[in-house]
Amino acid sequence: MPNYAEKLSKYKDLDQQDRRVISDYLATIPFDIDVFQETAIKSFIQGNSVLVAAPTGSGKTLVGEFALFATTNNKQRCFYTTPIKALSNQKFLELVQRFGSERVGLLTGDNSINGDAEIVVMTTEVLRNMIYQNPDKLHELGVVVMDEVHFLADKERGVVWEEILILLNQSVKIVALSATVSNVEDFGDWLRKVRGSCTFVIEEKRPVPLTQVIATAKELIPLISIEDPTRLNNKISNLYKRNFTKSHSKSEVPDKSQIVELLQTNKLLPSIYFIFSRKGCEQAVDLLQKSNTRLTSPEERTDIEEIIRNRFDEIASSDWATLRIDDWIDCAIKGFGSHHAGLIPQLKEVTELLFQKGLMKVVFATETLAVGVNMPAKSVVLERMDKWNGDTHEYLTPAEFTQLTGRAGRRGIDTSGTAVIAFHPDSEPRFLLNLVSSRTFELLSTFTPRYNMLLNLLEHRNIDATKLLLNKSFAQFSQEKSNLKMKSRIDEERKAIAGYTKNTVCDKGDFDSYYEIVKDINRLEREQKSSKRDNTRQNRFDLSGQLNPGSVIRVKSAGKYQSGLITKIMRERRGQDSYWIVLENGDGKKFHLNEIDPVAGVISELVINRTMDFSKRESRKQIAKVLTSLGYRKPDKNEKDSRSSMSVDELRRDIRKHPCHSCSDLYEHLRWAERKEKLVRSVNSLELNFNNSMMSLSNKCDEVLKLLNEIHYIDIIDDKVKLNSQAQILKEIHSDQDLLTAATIVKGLLNDLTIEELPAVLSSFIYQPRRDEYEIPGNISSKIRERAKELSILANELINLEMKYKLEYVRLPHFGVAEQVRKWAQGESLQKVLKNSDLAPGDFVRVAKQVTDLLRQIAKLKIDPISQIARESVHRVNRGVVAYEPKVFDDQDLDFDESLNVSS
């Protein structure tokens, strides 16, 4: 048993009351806590907010639970936020077990249990909406625990985390729990700036060491040398060095069943087997089912049957075949299954439960499982080290590798976790070694002032006060810090230029004019070589080693060369790298090496702002301005400079006549002039980047307000904004497409729709296809087709208006699932809804749930007839598999331990 006196001696500098609270809490913990947990607990009890950054499974949630314990002991309420409903449900179960059911509540939008409890678990969006709409619910709130706070970097939803951290009352303490990130100090400094006193605690050591092995068809081989952890195992080096024939390659490359057999033989089950496609996961399950693989004992199969009994009673019998429930049950009893976004929630939920209980031995999963629910495994398998990004195969980043393998190793059960990498002859072993030794994961802000957010802020604040809040964002903080570094570099390089200039002063004459002739000669010689060269393969090879993100090059697009900025190198298989390039016309495209001008080479190097999203038109336009000023240009035919039409020989005659040509220090001057020219280009690009790197959030706020003023949603009087009835609608729409949704309602484009047609049309604001599809498919009714055309016209008008104000929020509606949603609202079975459709059941359920949420928002507007139609539509859509919510309390799912129950 732990020595409590020894435990408490570490807190002797605290007052008696604080020591008593810690003593009471530690008495409920049947193990010694780690140093980082002690540090965080001590800081919190002293009145500070705390940021804890630690690897998966390290026990950082213990700090959050202590914060709940200490805060409720002080008669204050607590909120515990998670990024997804599944995590909220899971955390609710854990806290009910820990604190007692009467003290813990749950709010996830669809589900509300004991919402006024001392401790309430909720999704992050619920808290954000509460801050805007029900601030009275925050009365007596003492702490908010924000689990998975690194979700702040999520492009779609990250803004919500920053909104909460900025807007929440300063008296409320924050306990932020994050994965290990490389810029945690920056994030901690920002948190301290916006929240006041804040301690950040970093733990980089995994609680369970991780071993990496390569799986061949016959064995598992350690990746790293035992003698030297910085070197590859010789056996691995030899394995990859072999000159593979097709037959030899086949004999070494393992299939999924062979890897599962190796895992079972080496006692590495349970395991999560990551496959980067849903289809691949299902094919793996089918393979094991057909091979009659059994991973469970007779006793375990009995336990599984007991757990899954009655789990699927709520699913209509007509839908069992569509969802392949019988196949799923057969595989689950044998100890394996799949987990991906295409599955309905019930199947994922039971898979998670069985895995947590050690009954599901292998789960084939997409990378979405790497974030979220608690499913620690003895091993993790990576089938490939690259994945399809929608455009090309791209190698995993160190952050992705760390996130995926973080599940391996169960604390208190395993002495080590194992990351199993399936052998493939195309893999590069050095890349694997670098990947496992790197732990780079930078937390970048995605914060941007959206329409709904601004209107909610401006309702109770003037414009200046709202801008002050926006400028508190992590995005602005990071930008200012980046700009300081850039400004410092500009100043240093300008000093260097001044020094270089002194070294180019020539007693014989004007050296600058001499150097201009030298440059013209070099340019003409390059162009002549380019036109005569039949084979530029060697040049391209040489050039490839010089290309990096930030390189400015010439690229052939639409039959002509133009300047471009390399923003990303996409490492493709077999060494055929490609480059994502932003062109001087503002386009962004993928190019291969043979499309880059090898003669012009690297024209310049730009410092790429890490916060810029080059998928955005606005970011590309900023880069286009820089490229236009920097770009490689041939002399204009009409240029007045007489040298533009001269030959190389004529230029050489001219340069020999120049007074500087006879200078004894000529080559020294030329060397300094070349350095100066390169540095001048660098400074020019840095300054342009500095000025155009990122529109400040206060400026973006101005642009949003101008747009809303132009469409007559608001009136701006001095420093105040008056919201009219249209803006009041927009203020209540919490959706990715808030402006388009509000504009559709304002224009009455939803008023004449039936109960079935309304959700079908609303699905177009939510659905984003996974591949190219027609935005208005041929299977929708004539009425919805006409409405689709009207909405597309409206969306295009708003998109064009946004371009005017350098904004990019609205996208075209997509009616790819409109007919399926209409049929579902009409009462059809899931089987009929998905017939002749490529839509996965899980995708349909997710869209239908989001449609339900949007319908509820419209119903709350109390604008009839549309609100009345929305209320009735909710019941039509929110039924069956869509209405299902995980069972948040089930005695057979919880193994209660009275020693851990601190409800009294």
Side-chain angles (χ1 to χ4, degrees):
M1 290 295 290
N3 186 325
Y4 296 121
E6 184 181 335
K7 279 185 175 184
L8 292 175
S9 66
K10 300 167 184 174
Y11 306 99
K12 60 186 178 182
D13 54 330
L14 301 177
D15 63 37
Q16 186 176 356
Q17 173 63 20
D18 290 343
R19 286 203 306 275
R20 187 188 66 78
V21 173
I22 293 176
S23 173
D24 290 347
Y25 180 75
L26 294 181
T28 70
I29 305 297
F31 51 82
D32 288 326
I33 64 175
D34 294 332
V35 174
F36 83 92
Q37 294 167 329
E38 292 172 0
T39 304
I41 284 173
K42 186 174 181 179
S43 180
F44 181 80
I45 203 71
Q46 290 175 316
N48 302 306
S49 290
V50 180
L51 165 63
V52 181
T56 300
S58 59
K60 53 182 176 285
T61 54
L62 181 142
V63 179
E65 289 189 6
F66 171 77
L68 304 179
F69 180 90
T71 304
T72 54
N73 187 74
N74 201 32
K75 308 301 181 187
Q76 290 181 294
R77 297 185 72 206
C78 313
F79 289 167
Y80 194 110
T81 73
T82 76
I84 56 177
K85 291 179 183 179
L87 261 179
S88 290
N89 291 323
Q90 186 179 72
K91 198 66 200 178
F92 173 75
L93 288 173
E94 293 173 7
L95 294 180
V96 163
Q97 185 174 357
R98 188 100 173 87
F99 292 94
S101 59
E102 73 283 356
R103 299 179 64 190
V104 183
L106 176 69
L107 294 173
T108 60
D110 297 334
N111 216 344
S112 177
I113 300 173
N114 200 14
D116 293 322
E118 293 174 80
I119 301 167
V120 183
V121 183
M122 61 186 68
T123 51
T124 321
E125 278 85 356
V126 168
L127 177 54
R128 188 273 309 272
N129 296 348
M130 198 180 290
I131 291 172
Y132 287 142
Q133 298 173 338
N134 301 298
D136 55 304
K137 295 280 187 181
L138 306 178
H139 183 57
E140 295 183 347
L141 182 62
V143 67
V144 171
V145 180
M146 301 188 78
D147 206 351
E148 310 281 353
V149 77
H150 52 272
F151 260 75
L152 178 143
D154 184 79
K155 286 185 178 181
E156 298 296 326
R157 302 169 56 214
V159 61
V160 177
W161 276 257
E162 288 194 59
E163 285 182 78
I164 291 170
L165 291 169
I166 293 168
L167 297 174
L168 200 61
N169 192 297
Q170 289 287 314
S171 64
V172 179
K173 297 303 174 188
I174 297 290
V175 175
L177 309 177
S178 170
T180 305
V181 294
S182 54
N183 62 332
V184 67
E185 289 86 357
D186 287 347
F187 183 63
D189 288 342
W190 171 74
L191 204 56
R192 186 179 290 131
K193 183 177 179 181
V194 295
R195 300 300 310 171
S197 58
C198 177
T199 302
F200 49 94
V201 180
I202 305 169
E203 176 58 53
E204 295 182 341
K205 184 180 177 182
R206 277 178 53 94
V208 180
L210 184 67
T211 302
Q212 297 84 17
V213 299
I214 299 295
T216 68
K218 298 176 182 177
E219 61 180 329
L220 301 178
I221 309 170
L223 176 68
I224 299 171
S225 167
I226 298 174
E227 294 78 16
D228 184 354
T230 64
R231 295 174 59 86
L232 284 169
N233 181 349
N234 286 336
K235 195 170 182 180
I236 293 295
S237 299
N238 293 334
L239 178 68
Y240 281 95
K241 282 177 183 176
R242 294 176 192 168
N243 183 19
F244 281 95
T245 63
K246 286 187 178 180
S247 59
H248 193 176
S249 178
K250 279 186 178 180
S251 70
E252 295 283 7
V253 176
D255 64 27
K256 298 173 183 65
S257 61
Q258 288 172 323
I259 290 181
V260 170
E261 186 177 341
L262 285 170
L263 294 174
Q264 189 173 25
T265 302
N266 288 275
K267 296 182 170 30
L268 292 177
L269 299 179
S271 180
I272 300 174
Y273 196 128
F274 285 111
I275 301 174
F276 300 126
S277 78
R278 301 175 183 182
K279 185 178 180 181
C281 291
E282 293 305 320
Q283 287 175 338
V285 171
D286 290 343
L287 176 67
L288 263 61
Q289 186 181 27
K290 289 174 183 175
S291 65
N292 202 27
T293 299
R294 289 179 182 269
L295 304 175
T296 50
S297 66
E299 294 78 14
E300 288 173 327
R301 289 195 282 276
T302 300
D303 290 342
I304 292 169
E305 289 173 353
E306 182 65 29
I307 289 173
I308 65 178
R309 182 178 290 120
N310 303 325
R311 286 279 176 173
F312 308 118
D313 288 353
E314 297 175 14
I315 299 175
S317 57
S318 60
D319 293 333
W320 273 53
T322 302
L323 298 171
R324 297 183 64 191
I325 300 295
D326 288 326
D327 282 338
W328 184 93
I329 291 173
D330 178 55
C331 294
I333 290 172
K334 292 175 180 175
F336 54 88
S338 61
H339 191 292
H340 55 76
L343 296 173
I344 61 170
Q346 290 97 314
L347 295 180
K348 290 190 289 184
E349 174 194 338
V350 184
T351 299
E352 293 158 13
L353 177 61
L354 292 175
F355 195 88
Q356 288 162 5
K357 287 181 171 288
L359 297 171
M360 182 79 80
K361 306 300 182 180
V362 176
V363 173
F364 297 97
T366 56
E367 68 268 31
T368 54
L369 183 60
V371 179
V373 293
N374 180 27
M375 286 180 63
K378 192 175 186 68
S379 65
V380 163
V381 181
L382 298 180
E383 185 183 47
R384 302 186 65 94
M385 299 308 291
D386 62 346
K387 62 178 181 176
W388 183 254
N389 64 5
D391 188 40
T392 183
H393 282 279
E394 189 172 6
Y395 282 128
L396 295 177
T397 65
E400 289 169 330
F401 181 82
T402 302
Q403 189 77 31
L404 292 165
T405 57
R407 298 280 180 188
R410 299 162 297 175
R411 189 173 189 178
I413 303 175
D414 303 320
T415 56
S416 70
T418 304
V420 181
I421 302 167
F423 169 73
H424 196 284
D426 287 345
S427 295
E428 169 53 54
R430 287 287 164 193
F431 167 74
L432 299 179
L433 182 63
N434 292 335
L435 195 64
V436 301
S437 61
S438 176
R439 292 292 179 267
T440 303
F441 176 21
E442 192 170 21
L443 190 61
L444 301 177
S445 172
T446 58
F447 187 86
T448 184
R450 300 186 67 90
Y451 303 105
N452 170 278
M453 179 204 305
L454 276 178
L455 292 179
N456 276 287
L457 292 175
L458 288 163
E459 190 173 32
H460 305 292
R461 298 171 180 84
N462 61 26
I463 295 175
D464 283 344
T466 298
K467 287 181 179 179
L468 282 173
L469 278 175
L470 294 176
N471 285 332
K472 287 183 178 181
S473 73
F474 185 46
Q476 193 69 27
F477 177 87
S478 301
Q479 183 58 41
E480 289 169 1
K481 191 165 186 175
S482 175
N483 280 351
L484 282 173
K485 290 180 182 177
M486 203 182 300
K487 186 70 167 64
S488 175
R489 182 176 166 185
I490 289 170
D491 291 341
E492 288 176 6
E493 292 194 359
R494 284 207 168 280
K495 289 177 184 177
I497 288 170
Y500 292 174
T501 301
K502 290 179 183 177
N503 290 321
T504 59
V505 174
C506 181
D507 296 335
K508 299 287 186 179
D510 180 9
F511 184 79
D512 287 342
S513 63
Y514 182 87
Y515 188 61
E516 287 301 317
I517 302 174
V518 171
K519 289 195 294 183
D520 283 336
I521 291 172
N522 290 338
R523 172 182 56 77
L524 283 172
E525 286 181 337
R526 281 199 310 268
E527 290 173 358
Q528 287 174 1
K529 287 178 183 177
S530 176
S531 63
K532 293 177 181 178
R533 186 175 289 109
D534 295 322
N535 189 343
T536 60
R537 183 182 299 272
Q538 185 61 41
N539 288 72
R540 287 172 187 150
F541 177 79
D542 293 339
L543 182 61
S544 65
Q546 306 169 36
L547 300 178
N548 296 293
S551 298
V552 178
I553 41 76
R554 289 177 76 209
V555 67
K556 197 167 189 177
S557 178
K560 63 179 182 180
Y561 280 107
Q562 57 175 307
S563 296
L565 172 73
I566 296 175
T567 61
K568 188 176 185 180
I569 298 178
M570 292 174 281
R571 307 291 184 192
E572 299 188 18
R573 289 176 292 176
R574 302 185 185 277
Q576 299 298 316
D577 293 351
S578 57
Y579 305 84
W580 185 260
I581 295 174
V582 176
L583 303 173
E584 62 186 73
N585 64 2
D587 289 343
K589 296 180 180 178
K590 184 180 81 168
F591 291 88
H592 292 287
L593 191 58
N594 60 3
E595 297 172 287
I596 297 174
D597 184 353
V599 177
V602 177
I603 298 168
S604 184
E605 295 285 348
L606 295 182
V607 179
I608 296 181
N609 189 327
R610 64 187 183 184
T611 62
M612 295 187 84
D613 181 356
F614 294 106
S615 66
K616 304 285 188 183
R617 291 190 301 265
E618 178 189 323
S619 297
R620 296 198 300 271
K621 284 179 182 177
Q622 292 178 19
I623 291 299
K625 290 179 184 177
V626 178
L627 293 174
T628 302
S629 64
L630 285 181
Y632 181 93
R633 291 286 186 277
K634 293 182 180 180
D636 190 345
K637 292 179 181 178
N638 299 319
E639 195 174 9
K640 292 181 180 179
D641 187 345
S642 60
R643 291 201 309 272
S644 62
S645 58
M646 296 174 67
S647 67
V648 173
D649 289 340
E650 289 171 324
L651 288 171
R652 289 194 181 282
R653 282 196 296 271
D654 267 12
I655 204 168
R656 284 195 289 269
K657 295 176 184 176
H658 197 287
C660 290
H661 195 66
S662 61
C663 179
S664 59
D665 295 324
L666 175 62
Y667 291 105
E668 188 71 10
H669 291 325
L670 282 170
R671 188 164 62 86
W672 285 109
E674 287 173 357
R675 291 182 178 180
K676 175 184 172 183
E677 183 187 17
K678 184 176 180 180
L679 208 54
V680 166
R681 286 202 304 264
S682 172
V683 168
N684 288 340
S685 67
L686 282 170
E687 287 186 330
L688 285 164
N689 248 350
F690 181 79
N691 294 326
N692 297 299
S693 59
M694 180 179 176
M695 185 192 299
S696 74
L697 294 176
S698 58
N699 287 342
K700 188 166 278 191
C701 172
D702 287 334
E703 300 305 307
V704 170
L705 294 180
K706 288 175 187 175
L707 186 150
L708 292 175
N709 187 53
E710 182 169 336
I711 61 176
H712 308 297
Y713 275 47
I714 60 172
D715 295 311
I716 302 174
I717 304 168
D718 296 327
D719 192 35
K720 293 286 290 182
V721 172
K722 182 181 178 182
L723 280 61
N724 59 24
S725 58
Q726 291 99 312
Q728 291 293 341
I729 292 172
L730 178 53
K731 183 174 73 70
E732 300 301 324
I733 300 296
H734 299 282
S735 164
D736 179 48
Q737 292 300 291
D738 49 5
L739 180 59
L740 179 58
T741 305
T744 302
I745 295 170
V746 168
K747 291 185 177 294
L749 295 177
L750 304 178
N751 290 352
D752 62 338
L753 298 177
T754 65
I755 297 170
E756 297 85 15
E757 290 168 340
L758 176 60
V761 170
L762 292 181
S763 72
S764 70
F765 301 148
I766 294 163
Y767 179 62
Q768 296 184 59
R770 299 179 68 234
R771 56 185 67 85
D772 289 338
E773 298 175 15
Y774 288 115
E775 289 161 348
I776 304 178
N779 65 347
I780 57 178
S781 67
S782 57
K783 184 176 178 181
I784 293 180
R785 179 178 300 281
E786 286 305 311
R787 196 53 41 89
K789 292 176 181 177
E790 293 175 286
L791 287 177
S792 294
I793 291 170
L794 174 60
N796 273 310
E797 289 173 354
L798 293 174
I799 289 169
N800 290 332
L801 193 59
E802 283 190 330
M803 290 178 68
K804 175 181 175 181
Y805 293 107
K806 301 177 182 178
L807 301 170
E808 191 174 1
Y809 298 128
V810 177
R811 65 171 183 269
L812 286 172
H814 199 294
F815 288 79
V817 297
E819 181 60 13
Q820 284 86 352
V821 172
R822 188 193 68 79
K823 285 181 178 179
W824 180 255
Q826 208 171 29
E828 296 282 10
S829 67
L830 188 65
Q831 180 186 23
K832 289 186 177 179
V833 165
L834 298 182
K835 187 178 181 181
N836 301 324
S837 167
D838 292 332
L839 190 65
D843 289 334
F844 173 76
V845 169
R846 187 166 51 257
V847 170
K849 281 181 176 290
Q850 290 176 283
V851 168
T852 301
D853 183 53
L854 193 51
L855 285 167
R856 285 174 173 151
Q857 293 179 38
I858 293 172
K860 287 180 182 178
L861 294 175
K862 297 180 181 178
I863 304 172
D864 289 330
I866 182 61
S867 291
Q868 178 60 35
I869 298 170
R871 277 189 290 274
E872 295 176 25
S873 295
V874 167
H875 302 296
R876 296 290 193 91
V877 179
N878 194 43
R879 64 180 180 86
V881 290
V882 175
Y884 176 80
E885 283 295 322
K887 294 177 176 63
V888 293
F889 191 87
D890 188 333
D891 287 340
Q892 77 167 13
D893 294 343
L894 296 177
D895 299 317
F896 278 94
D897 183 341
E898 293 301 327
S899 68
L900 295 181
N901 194 316
V902 294
S903 60
S904 57

